[in-house]
Each structure stands twice: as structure tokens, then as C-alpha cells.
Amino acid sequence: MMIVLMDDDTAELARVMAGGLLYPVFQPIIDFRMRSILGYEALIRGPEGSELHRPDMLFAAARRAGRSLELEHACREASLRAFAGLNLAGRLFINVTPGCLLDHKMMNGQTRELLSELGIAPNRIVIELTENQQITDMPGIQEALLHYRGRGFQIAIDDLGEGFANLRMWSELRPEYVKIDKHFVHGIADDRIKYHFVRAMQDLAEICNASLIAEGIERPEDFTCIRDMGIACGQGFFIARPDCAPVRQMPGKVLAAIGHQRVSLSPMAGGVGKMPTAKTLLKPIEPVLLHASNATVIERFEADPDLDVLPVVHGTNPVGMINRHSMIDRFARPFRKELFGRKSCDLFMDHAPLVVDQHATIQELALMIALAPKHYLFDGFIVTGEGNYLGVGSSHDLMVTITEMQISAARYANPLTQLPGNVPINEHIDRMLAAGSSFVAAYIDIDNFKPYNDTFGYRRGDDVIQALGRLVCETADQAQDFVGHIGGDDFFVIFQSSDWEMRCWSLVRSFAEAVDAMLGTEERAHGGYMAENRRGEIGFQPLPTLSIGAVRVGAGECESHREVAAAASAAKKQAKKKSKAGDDPFGGSVFIERRRAGQGEPALAMGRMLN
């Protein structure tokens, strides 16, 4: 007889596994756009006081004992049972290694049977692939994920930026969620390199139609930076620590931090300061309680033919949504009313409804519904205030509002560039002032444009203006900066991005390169052309260049858009004077007004050159 000797860790692992002593903790993941909890990540722990309490020690012991897959399956089952037992709302993110994903216990229907037993819909589960083991069978992984996606599961990849393998996973697996490694998140507010790395990740996410989740948010400054960058979701100690009884609503400090949101860039509707939000769309439908019977729900629908959905609440916390047609269709089948009429309505409700804060903007709502599963288009969304149920909004009303806003925006758009014209520019400045936000107003003008337009014709002149419009939009941060076209060759940018000065100089240089590309060989060789000046005299004309006058506007420094426009116009005149001096090798200039915007004429301060 062979005797197997076990070390202390192996023996402790055997005790933990045999006794069912694993327990999960849950950490919330919030959606910045919706200002609500998207779901929870399940994290496993060994028993308190055990040497295997920490997950790294637990899984290290399992690897040494050759029981890694067995431990993963046990963790998954414990997490699902605890999630269902706590009746948590939203999605559940479960960590799965690539090897476990291909194991027969995952593919043989056991997970589906367990979800059915617990009453958890597969579309609430996000399989979070971790990169702690090398993928040797990518085609097999892709086939497995196709299998799970076909059953409603979603996919996430963990720790983007930690290694090259998960970049390949992203490109080949096309996950719905991508988690940014905490290294790039911690300290991002003070580290420009990290900021630009994450910005690059965000660009990739937009192309791949994925939502980014910033992990490891521990400082309020990083939370604000991540939010203002437009990252979809966040997770970390600043929001909430993992707990076996996690928070069900966002903590007050998190709501307060989200509340200090920058002014939206959406076109106006309804006048200054009246940007439509989820609150303007809500209908105060009386919800049903979580433990109300299905028969009660059917009675509500039968009593009100216009009622398409019913929200479900636990106390004041929304936990589900019931669709009229789905519910009635189920109960139209034989014996369904007798079998399920007295049972709780949570049996047939959507446990992961779209829940949004009342202050979520129309553009945020539209983006979420566009990226969400199709049934949200029919069910609409639940509107909350500080986590408490307020009412329900419909996607139809959202589409009507967006259409009205687009018509209003088109009415005031510049016909050549389709950028917002004077009215939207003025309205946005007034909203910024009303919100007490600090910003930079930049007036952009093309030097030497009239002789160029007169000499080469309006068509080539329009090409220059359209090229500038494209360059301004590319240079500005689309998530923070407002771009407008005053008319002719004059543009206006309201910067909220912190690196606005670098962006201005970048625009000057990129415009010079664009003009150079439009020139003939002769004009390019001589750096200009012969043409009539304003006095009708033939002479050498320099090429079009760019002058930008920028003025900082702090909270309370101006009362209206007129003051801001006057200050920016005066700064632009100073920039044109600088341009004539020929300080920049690319031509053009940037003049930055250093005094307060509301204090009369600008000081003759020189704009700084960026090396």
C-alpha cells in the first residue's frame, strides 16, 4: 500500500475543500455614465485564521496539490450561491482561467443547471478571463466563448496593460468589458504617461465597442480623472472594499464625487442651463415589491393597457424590471397561472435592468442603450435619485428628445463644416459660467486667408476652412472640449482639457503641414505666391497660417458669453501681432492672456513657446 504524505498547506487545502469553507466577497463596479452600480466582482477567500485565507496562498496551494481546476469550480459555485443568496442586483463578474474555461465541467451544462436552480439569468454573468496562465489553444478558447455567448454570457478580460498576452486576447476575443490594470490607474491624475496610456486604451475600446473598467481606484483625484476621461466603469477601494455583505447603493462620497461633473458638451434643448437628463424623461410608475406575487403583476397589467413595464423594488432600491408582453405571453400557456401565480415576481423579472441616475445626460443614456442588449430598447430604464427609485423612462421618449436636439443643433450649425455656430457656442459658454466651471476660451483665426481665397478661388479657400475644421476637432478632446465655427475662417474652442496649451500649439503646426500639402510645387518652394494685396498692388503674399488667442476663465470671473468673447477676441488680436513677428518656424502663433478675463484689455504678455 502506497502512503501519500501531505505538507501542511496541502492538508489545509483538503480540509477547506472538503468542509466547504470557501467564502466569496463582492466588490461593486460602478458605471460612471449611469451613476449606478453595474454589478459585482466575486473574489474568493479561505476561512478566517487559516494560512489559506488569502487567495494567492489558496491558489498556490491548489497548484502544488494539482487541484487548481477543482478549486476554481468550487469557487465559482460558492460565488454563484452567495450572489443569489444576497439577492444582489446587476451583473456578476466571475474570474475564470483559460484552462478552466475549456474544462469539461464548464462545458457539460453543470453551470447552466446551477444558474437555473439559483434563478440567475445567464445574461447577468460576465466571464472574466485572467492572464495567470498562458493560452496554448486560442481557437479552442474562441470556440468556447462562442458557446457561452450563444447562451447569453458576456466576456471580460482582466489586467489590460500587465502583459502582451491580454492585448492579443482583446484583439481576438472581442470582449464586452476590458479591465485596465491598476498600475495605470493609481496616480493617473498626476502622471501624464499613465494618462496617455489609458487614453490609447480608450481609443481602442471605442473601435472594438468594448467598455473599459478602471481597476484599483483608491484616490479621489484618480477617480475624478478617470471619470473626466470618459472611462465607462470603475472599481476600487475609493468606491468600496470587497465585502461578504457589499454595498447595494453607491456611497455618499462617491455620489458627491460624481456630482461634480464637468459641463456636458451636448447641444442645448430648452434654453440655457436646461440640458435634458434622465429626470426629464421619467414617468412615476408605482413599482411592485420584490416579493409580490406574479398574479399581482398580471392584475396590474390587465388594469392598465398602457403599462408596458413594471419596475420591481426591494425597499426603495430597484432590483428588476418586468416586461408586459413577456409576462403575459408566459402566463398564456396552459397551467402557468396555477403553477406560478402565487410565486414571487422575481421568478420572471429581468434581474439586470438598466438603472440610471436622474442626472445622467441624454447623450450618456443614448450611448448606453446603443451598446446594451436589444431588450433594453423595449424595456427602457429605471431612474433613481441617490440610489432610490424615482420612476421609469422609455427609449421612445429618449429617441424623440434626441431627434429634437439634433434638429435644434442642425438649425444653428455652420453649413460648410457642420460645426455648432454662434448660438450653440454662446449657450455653451453661458452654461459653463452658470455651473461655475473653469475653462479656456480659444479664438482661432487664419492669417493671410483673404488674398489666398481671392487668388486661388473660393473652392480652394473652402478646402482650407474645412481642413481647419477637421484639425480642430481632431486636436480637441472630444469628451471635454467644445468646438464651434463662428463663420468664415474663425473658429472657437472652449477647452476643459488640462493640456489645452499643448493642443493649441499642435494645431498651429498641423495646420501649417495641411496647407503645405495643398500647395503647388512653386508655391511650396517659395513659401508663398505673387498676388494683389488689399490696395490692388502685385506683391509677394505669405501662406495662410494660424493665430490663436486663448484666455483663462475662472469661476465667477465673467457674467456672460459677451465678456468671454470680447476677451478672447482681444487675445486673438495679440496673437496676430505675434504672428507677424515670425516667432514660430511654422508661422502662426498662440497668445495666452494671463490676466482675468473680466478685467478690461489684455496685458501684453507673450505666449509661451512649447519646445
Side-chain angles (χ1 to χ4, degrees):
M1 184 176 82
M2 183 175 65
I3 300 176
V4 179
L5 299 177
M6 295 189 295
D7 60 26
D8 292 343
D9 283 352
T10 304
E12 177 63 5
L13 177 67
R15 184 183 76 86
V16 169
M17 297 279 287
L21 301 179
L22 298 169
Y23 74 92
V25 293
F26 299 93
Q27 187 172 33
I29 300 170
I30 68 166
D31 191 313
F32 288 107
R33 301 161 299 186
M34 296 297 98
R35 300 169 175 84
S36 62
I37 293 177
L38 170 72
Y40 300 83
E41 180 181 0
L43 303 165
I44 210 69
R45 300 288 186 268
E48 290 281 356
S50 167
E51 292 182 1
L52 303 185
H53 172 66
R54 287 170 40 191
D56 56 341
M57 300 296 292
L58 182 66
F59 281 92
R63 283 192 296 272
R64 288 194 296 271
R67 303 183 67 179
S68 294
L69 288 179
E70 184 182 351
L71 176 61
E72 271 202 65
H73 291 304
C75 292
R76 185 177 70 257
E77 180 173 350
S79 298
L80 289 169
R81 291 191 181 281
F83 184 75
L86 291 168
N87 199 24
L88 294 173
R91 290 172 170 75
L92 175 63
F93 287 68
I94 297 180
N95 290 289
V96 178
T97 61
C100 184
L101 191 69
L102 297 174
D103 188 67
H104 73 280
K105 288 185 179 180
M106 281 283 284
M107 300 288 287
N108 65 4
Q110 287 186 6
T111 300
R112 186 172 67 252
E113 292 174 3
L114 179 59
L115 291 175
S116 178
E117 174 195 335
L118 298 173
I120 301 175
N123 64 5
R124 299 179 64 198
I125 303 300
V126 181
I127 297 172
E128 185 172 326
L129 284 176
T130 59
E131 196 199 0
N132 57 10
Q133 61 181 229
Q134 186 176 2
I135 296 179
T136 57
D137 184 9
M138 183 61 76
I141 292 291
Q142 290 175 317
E143 184 178 349
L145 292 183
L146 185 65
H147 166 84
Y148 289 114
R149 279 196 169 112
R151 283 154 179 76
F153 294 86
Q154 292 185 308
I155 309 301
I157 59 173
D158 196 16
D159 295 335
L160 178 66
E162 187 179 58
F164 290 106
N166 51 18
L167 284 173
R168 181 189 172 190
M169 286 169 64
W170 189 357
S171 68
E172 298 199 25
L173 303 182
R174 305 298 170 88
E176 285 77 16
Y177 299 95
V178 177
K179 288 193 165 184
I180 305 171
D181 183 69
K182 61 184 179 181
H183 165 79
F184 295 98
V185 174
H186 184 71
I188 188 173
D190 310 314
D191 191 323
R192 293 189 57 79
I193 299 298
K194 290 182 178 180
Y195 177 91
H196 286 290
F197 264 111
V198 174
R199 176 65 78 197
M201 296 176 194
Q202 188 178 19
D203 291 340
L204 286 173
E206 291 177 359
I207 294 170
C208 299
N209 203 24
S211 294
L212 289 183
I213 301 175
E215 287 191 296
I217 302 177
E218 298 182 359
R219 308 188 310 157
E221 308 96 296
D222 296 335
F223 179 92
T224 300
C225 181
I226 289 292
R227 178 206 66 189
D228 287 349
M229 289 179 69
I231 303 300
C233 305
Q235 178 181 0
F237 289 172
F238 176 76
I239 298 166
R241 290 178 176 272
D243 200 308
C244 54
V247 297
R248 296 173 184 268
Q249 297 181 0
M250 288 199 296
K253 66 176 182 179
V254 177
L255 286 171
I258 289 182
H260 291 91
Q261 188 81 335
R262 63 178 182 271
V263 176
S264 171
L265 303 182
S266 292
M268 293 297 296
V272 175
K274 296 182 180 179
M275 166 60 62
T277 62
K279 185 178 181 180
T280 63
L281 299 177
L282 75 82
K283 296 178 181 177
I285 297 174
E286 182 182 350
V288 294
L289 299 177
L290 178 61
H291 299 298
S293 68
N294 289 310
T296 300
V297 173
I298 291 292
E299 290 174 3
R300 285 283 304 275
F301 282 130
E302 290 177 343
D304 187 352
D306 295 327
L307 192 62
D308 294 320
V309 292
L310 266 177
V312 182
V313 298
H314 181 57
T316 61
N317 185 35
V319 294
M321 185 86 91
I322 302 175
N323 180 282
R324 174 194 189 89
H325 302 291
S326 176
M327 187 75 169
I328 291 178
D329 180 63
R330 283 184 170 123
F331 271 72
R333 301 172 190 176
F335 309 114
R336 285 298 180 99
K337 186 172 289 186
E338 290 79 7
L339 288 172
F340 301 110
R342 294 184 180 180
K343 292 188 176 181
S344 170
C345 65
D346 70 342
L347 187 64
F348 297 124
M349 76 179 186
D350 178 4
H351 289 77
L354 189 58
V355 180
V356 305
D357 183 82
Q358 60 181 330
H359 299 301
T361 65
I362 293 299
Q363 72 194 58
E364 292 169 331
L365 276 171
L367 179 61
M368 282 299 294
I369 289 183
L371 296 177
K374 291 181 181 178
H375 72 273
Y376 288 134
L377 194 60
F378 305 104
D379 292 352
F381 47 91
I382 294 174
V383 183
T384 61
E386 296 184 355
N388 300 312
Y389 171 79
L390 294 180
V392 173
S394 76
S395 299
H396 175 268
D397 291 343
L398 173 62
M399 295 304 111
V400 169
T401 302
I402 290 172
T403 302
E404 291 174 348
M405 292 169 65
Q406 289 175 334
I407 292 172
S408 177
R411 184 181 300 125
Y412 298 112
N414 184 281
L416 184 60
T417 61
Q418 297 302 306
L419 290 170
N422 290 352
V423 172
I425 293 171
N426 295 339
E427 287 177 338
H428 186 71
I429 293 174
D430 284 335
R431 281 195 298 138
M432 297 285 291
L433 297 175
S437 300
S438 298
F439 59 95
V440 172
Y443 195 136
I444 302 167
D445 183 35
I446 302 178
D447 301 321
N448 312 312
F449 178 72
K450 188 179 186 306
Y452 182 92
N453 192 64
D454 291 345
T455 302
F456 297 105
Y458 74 90
R459 180 62 264 175
R460 284 185 64 176
D462 286 352
D463 289 343
V464 171
I465 292 174
Q466 289 176 320
L468 176 56
R470 288 192 297 271
L471 290 171
V472 175
C473 292
E474 291 170 4
T475 302
D477 184 338
Q478 295 182 6
Q480 302 184 69
D481 305 329
F482 184 99
V483 177
H485 187 176
I486 298 171
D489 59 327
D490 292 355
F491 290 77
F492 207 88
V493 181
I494 301 149
F495 284 109
Q496 293 186 80
S497 51
S498 59
D499 57 347
W500 60 270
E501 189 174 349
M502 182 184 71
R503 292 175 187 271
C504 287
W505 281 111
S506 174
L507 179 59
V508 169
R509 287 158 172 74
S510 59
F511 178 74
E513 293 167 357
V515 169
D516 188 67
M518 296 179 187
L519 298 173
T521 305
E522 186 175 345
E523 292 95 7
R524 189 181 296 112
H526 294 90
Y529 54 94
M530 298 299 293
E532 286 188 1
N533 59 23
R534 294 177 182 269
R535 296 186 297 274
E537 302 167 345
I538 298 293
F540 182 79
Q541 300 295 329
L543 298 175
T545 55
L546 216 56
S547 289
I548 303 177
V551 57
R552 290 188 178 94
V553 181
E557 291 183 357
C558 290
E559 294 184 358
S560 74
H561 63 266
R562 293 180 179 84
E563 291 184 40
V564 176
S569 180
K572 182 205 67 171
K573 292 177 182 177
Q574 297 297 329
K576 293 180 83 69
K577 290 180 181 179
K578 271 191 64 187
S579 180
K580 291 180 180 179
D583 292 337
D584 191 279
F586 285 88
S589 66
V590 176
F591 177 86
I592 301 167
E593 167 52 44
R594 304 295 181 182
R595 297 177 61 190
R596 287 180 52 189
Q599 292 184 339
E601 290 296 317
L604 299 180
M606 294 297 292
R608 290 190 291 111
M609 293 290 294
L610 295 185
N611 296 322

